[in-house]
Amino acid sequence: MLQIGSQNTNFAVFTFVLLWATITSNAPMMSCEASRGTVKYVDRCPRNKSEWLESARNKNCSRINQNCSSTEFVYHCLINQWENATVEVCALRVNIIGKCAEYNTKGAVVQEHTRRDCRSFQNPCPAYYKSDQAYLYQECYDGVVTTKQNTAISAASNRYIITVKEKHCYIVLIIIFVHGVIRCVLI
């Protein structure tokens, strides 16, 4: 039986709060279909603040109507998930932790590019930054091979699906939560 202040109750509350905080903090990383219509493949992304401001002004992301969040879309220029193109896109600003930022065209989401840890670059990124500041970390764009064939393949692969990474994250969190509840009830 659960008793207020017991170790089991504290564990259940902690698990629930952790699960809730993780899901709500990742809400902006959920797919936003409206961003898909703003994708434009480009030869290169802005290299400095003045180029970024000019590109952002031209893209005019604040005019895009979306119902994914109460915040406005902002301009991004990022690598795609296959590292074979750079894309300009209007999307929600998200927190990036220690990796390069990418726009996942399949999931219609800005997220961390798991294969590129920018903390080890010559001009390293901080442990945490906003996704629309990716232009500050130019090494994230190094090695991106852009060809018309790759861009056509990427564009043809656009489908509305939640990425496998997101599915696994939620499954693990749900399992941890259920385990904590069962443990509290049985003890």
Side-chain angles (χ1 to χ4, degrees):
M1 182 169 188
L2 292 178
Q3 296 176 356
I4 303 300
S6 74
Q7 187 176 11
N8 293 332
T9 303
N10 292 341
F11 178 77
V13 170
F14 172 77
T15 303
F16 175 76
V17 168
L18 179 65
L19 177 64
W20 178 80
T22 302
I23 290 172
T24 58
S25 70
N26 285 337
M29 292 186 71
M30 296 303 291
S31 183
C32 188
E33 191 64 27
S35 69
R36 192 183 312 273
T38 70
V39 171
K40 178 183 175 190
Y41 290 88
V42 293
D43 292 330
R44 71 172 184 85
C45 288
R47 295 182 181 143
N48 55 49
K49 186 165 186 144
S50 63
E51 287 182 9
W52 186 92
L53 289 170
E54 176 70 17
S55 296
R57 186 181 59 74
N58 291 338
K59 194 80 170 165
N60 194 16
C61 293
S62 61
R63 70 172 165 63
I64 306 296
N65 292 324
Q66 53 86 14
N67 60 1
C68 304
S69 173
S70 60
T71 61
E72 291 184 343
F73 273 174
V74 294
Y75 171 79
H76 291 81
C77 191
L78 305 169
I79 60 176
N80 69 354
Q81 69 270 30
W82 297 290
E83 296 180 47
N84 66 357
T86 49
V87 295
E88 285 186 327
V89 63
C90 295
L92 298 173
R93 177 184 292 123
V94 298
N95 298 324
I96 302 295
I97 302 173
K99 304 287 184 181
C100 293
E102 73 173 26
Y103 180 74
N104 185 304
T105 55
K106 284 180 146 187
V109 65
V110 172
Q111 62 188 19
E112 296 161 3
H113 186 76
T114 58
R115 292 184 306 273
R116 289 199 175 205
D117 186 340
C118 55
R119 292 171 295 181
S120 62
F121 290 167
Q122 186 174 355
N123 177 29
C125 66
Y128 154 90
Y129 66 96
K130 299 291 185 183
S131 58
D132 59 325
Q133 297 173 346
Y135 74 92
L136 295 171
Y137 314 105
Q138 288 292 307
E139 288 178 77
C140 288
Y141 305 113
D142 291 351
V144 173
V145 179
T146 57
T147 66
K148 291 185 181 195
Q149 181 181 6
N150 285 346
T151 302
I153 290 168
S154 298
S157 298
N158 286 344
R159 290 179 184 80
Y160 180 75
I161 61 170
I162 295 176
T163 64
V164 172
K165 178 181 166 186
E166 290 171 339
K167 285 182 184 176
H168 287 206
C169 180
Y170 289 117
I171 290 170
V172 168
L173 289 172
I174 290 168
I175 290 170
I176 290 170
F177 178 72
V178 169
H179 172 73
V181 170
I182 291 172
R183 184 174 172 202
C184 289
V185 170
L186 295 177
I187 296 179

